[in-house]
Amino acid sequence: MNAPLNAAFNATARPPLLDVRGVHCVLGGQPILTDLNLQIKAGERVALIGPNGAGKSTLFQVISGLRPLRAGSVWLAGRRIDRLNPAQIARAGIGRSFQSPQVFSRLSVADNLRACLLAAQPARRWWLPYQRDAELRQQVAHWLQALQLRDCADMPAQNIDYARLRALELGLGLINRAPLLLLDEPTAGMNRAQAAHMLDLIEQLCGDRTLLLIEHDPDAVFRLATRVVVLHQGRVLADGAPEAIRHDAQVQAVYLGTAP
Ligand SMILES: Nc1ncnc2c1ncn2[C@@H]1O[C@H](COP(=O)(O)OP(=O)(O)OP(=O)(O)O)[C@@H](O)[C@H]1O
């Protein structure tokens, strides 16, 4: 096989980065996700949208191992992950943020970053006190700068404002270099200026990572996403380019509440 053909073969042979296959999830006796299929290729930025209660957060919980499946499977880069626990799934390559930010609230902002950096370096020289580890200090300084959190580095995370808390959580999700990042409503509860700042941070820091984000703000969806997937009643209702989804009659009906 010649070189270009070989490259094309490899590109098509590579499994999707995320492959959600026929997932059913039942909570409190109610079906929440029903035969849900979703494949995401490396490098895509996918917005997951849909009306309240469509099952978006539940799908994130299922992917991260925080909710059990009734049927189906979840694969990351060809590896089945739905039987792993949440920590194993994170180590397998999924970083995430939550609707309500999850950080170590009593630790300082810098110590939050330090803790995640330490957890992401299993081969670190464990006998070296972290205060004397110059490389670790440099990395913390790098992340404080990148997240624009230098001026609150020594404050307990529970005392910083909400927009900064979300920036910190974004950093914690990025530190272990997971190829797939799940962001649950990264701009929720923010004013326009704060939301614009958060979108800037996501664009600057996520690089070519694959993103799956839940977002209600159309500005954020159209700025970040290369593809939009619409969930309705636990199923994929539409999947396509942002412009096509914007004009999809079925999607409009779901948002206006006129869909069956
Ligand atoms: N632990 C639970 N037990 C029973 N039902 C649940 C549970 N958690 C969620 N649900 C229900 O599952 C459905 C989907 O919830 P989910 O939070 O996934 O929706 P969503 O699309 O993320 O909504 P929103 O945009 O409002 O966050 C809702 O009807 C919700 O009430």
Side-chain angles (χ1 to χ4, degrees):
M1 202 183 283
N2 67 27
L5 269 181
N6 209 356
F9 174 79
N10 285 337
T12 49
R14 199 182 302 154
L17 182 62
L18 178 70
D19 192 357
V20 175
R21 295 188 196 163
V23 159
H24 290 257
C25 176
V26 175
L27 298 175
Q30 297 295 315
I32 308 298
L33 302 175
T34 308
D35 193 22
L36 197 137
N37 292 284
L38 175 65
Q39 293 194 333
I40 298 181
K41 288 187 277 198
E44 282 193 297
R45 290 183 170 188
V46 181
L48 186 63
I49 68 169
N52 295 119
K56 304 178 296 293
S57 293
T58 303
L59 177 58
F60 269 27
Q61 303 296 75
V62 163
I63 295 169
S64 357
L66 294 163
R67 288 270 183 241
L69 307 184
R70 177 64 65 90
S73 57
V74 181
W75 303 72
L76 184 72
R79 175 184 178 197
R80 186 162 183 179
I81 59 167
D82 57 272
R83 293 168 179 160
L84 305 181
N85 67 39
Q88 290 169 325
I89 291 174
R91 279 198 292 276
I94 298 184
R96 69 163 295 182
S97 72
F98 291 78
Q99 229 170 62
S100 112
Q102 304 288 312
V103 302
F104 304 108
S105 53
R106 292 189 187 183
L107 293 186
S108 71
V109 169
D111 279 344
N112 266 274
L113 295 167
R114 196 169 284 125
C116 271
L117 283 161
L118 284 169
Q121 302 171 4
R124 182 180 175 274
R125 291 163 298 158
W126 52 267
W127 64 88
L128 185 64
Y130 74 76
Q131 299 88 336
R132 298 218 325 261
D133 188 331
E135 191 186 327
L136 182 63
R137 277 208 310 274
Q138 260 179 12
Q139 288 177 338
V140 172
H142 161 81
W143 280 103
L144 287 170
Q145 168 83 20
L147 297 163
Q148 301 182 27
L149 294 174
R150 273 201 314 192
D151 56 349
C152 59
D154 298 322
M155 286 170 65
Q158 63 194 2
N159 293 354
I160 63 176
D161 66 58
Y162 177 73
R164 287 171 177 200
L165 194 60
R166 298 230 61 163
L168 174 61
E169 194 200 26
L170 173 69
L172 301 185
L174 286 167
I175 272 176
N176 75 352
R177 299 196 176 86
L180 175 64
L181 197 60
L182 310 179
L183 299 179
D184 197 344
E185 299 195 34
T187 66
M190 294 185 184
N191 63 33
R192 304 263 7 128
Q194 290 170 332
H197 176 64
M198 175 52 90
L199 296 182
D200 287 344
L201 284 179
I202 294 171
E203 282 195 322
Q204 287 158 19
L205 300 177
C206 290
D208 57 2
R209 271 191 244 213
T210 308
L211 284 187
L212 177 59
L213 75 145
I214 298 175
E215 226 349 305
H216 287 288
D217 176 4
D219 289 349
V221 171
F222 286 101
R223 183 164 155 193
L224 291 177
T226 53
R227 175 180 159 201
V228 178
V229 172
V230 187
L231 276 199
H232 178 50
Q233 297 177 345
R235 296 172 190 266
V236 174
L237 175 81
D239 181 346
E243 265 314 305
I245 295 295
R246 194 204 286 263
H247 297 109
D248 186 299
Q250 258 189 312
V251 174
Q252 289 173 357
V254 159
Y255 273 97
L256 293 172
T258 55

